[in-house]
Amino acid sequence: MNLQLKTLSFKKVLNNYNIYEQEFEYGGVLGQAELIDGFLGYKFVCYTKENSEETAAISLTEIESKSERQVGNAILKYIGMELRFGKRITHIKKIEKVYGTPFSVIDDYTKVRYNYLISPNLFICIGIKTLNSKLIHVEITNDSELISEIIDARRNY
């Protein structure tokens, strides 16, 4: 799997949006995050560890409105992921053909998150809304330190 995550910058992909940076903690690790102004909370996060130029993680969370889907799908297209927000996912087996068997599944009654450890330095979480089976969450991490923290937290969930 050849995702273009390390070179991702919201500023490169989304030139029509006000993007700002702030100090951010991701998986217990300090760094910087690019966030998109105009969306509530931390729906779109592009995270870089301290003293690094490469993107270590992205989190696209609760992506449901039309404008959120447009932004999220532009990001997914840029990094080379075939999934799209707003599309129904009726058979998780199709996703498992690409990502393998999830190491954990978290069902909180409103969405189900499938956690995949693709390699020691590639983690992907896919969230599907329970009500309509649509993709609403994607998290990708390509940093082994962050992945270790995330896996520890999610295995104990």
Side-chain angles (χ1 to χ4, degrees):
M1 184 166 307
N2 188 20
L3 298 177
Q4 301 301 313
L5 184 64
K6 290 183 178 186
T7 62
L8 176 66
S9 167
F10 286 171
K11 292 175 183 175
K12 284 191 232 177
V13 179
L14 305 166
N15 52 12
N16 293 334
Y17 291 87
N18 182 24
I19 296 164
Y20 62 99
E21 293 182 25
Q22 75 176 41
E23 197 170 280
F24 199 83
E25 186 176 311
Y26 198 97
V29 180
L30 286 176
Q32 290 285 97
E34 287 184 344
L35 305 168
I36 304 171
D37 197 18
F39 294 101
L40 294 177
Y42 296 113
K43 284 189 175 274
F44 299 97
V45 176
C46 183
Y47 170 81
T48 305
K49 289 173 63 173
E50 272 186 332
N51 303 317
S52 178
E53 297 290 320
E54 295 180 347
T55 298
I58 62 167
S59 178
L60 314 173
T61 303
E62 304 297 330
I63 309 302
E64 296 190 67
S65 73
K66 183 178 179 180
S67 62
E68 292 166 353
R69 287 192 308 267
Q70 287 174 331
V71 170
N73 287 336
I75 294 166
L76 293 180
K77 183 177 179 181
Y78 177 86
I79 64 172
M81 194 167 203
E82 293 184 23
L83 294 173
R84 295 294 178 259
F85 290 106
K87 298 293 182 187
R88 293 190 68 191
I89 298 175
T90 55
H91 301 289
I92 198 64
K93 294 292 182 198
K94 289 181 183 178
I95 290 177
E96 288 180 358
K97 283 183 182 180
V98 176
Y99 303 107
T101 303
F103 74 83
S104 77
V105 177
I106 301 169
D107 185 347
D108 72 4
Y109 302 106
T110 61
K111 73 177 170 292
V112 179
R113 290 186 301 169
Y114 298 88
N115 296 288
Y116 299 93
L117 183 59
I118 309 300
S119 71
N121 59 356
L122 183 58
F123 165 83
I124 297 175
C125 177
I126 296 169
I128 301 170
K129 189 170 185 171
T130 305
L131 183 65
N132 59 13
S133 300
K134 290 186 178 181
L135 178 69
I136 61 167
H137 175 85
V138 172
E139 177 183 16
I140 305 171
T141 305
N142 65 357
D143 178 86
S144 58
E145 179 184 11
L146 291 175
I147 291 170
S148 178
E149 295 293 328
I150 291 168
I151 288 174
D152 286 346
R154 297 201 182 157
R155 277 200 172 128
N156 298 323
Y157 189 80

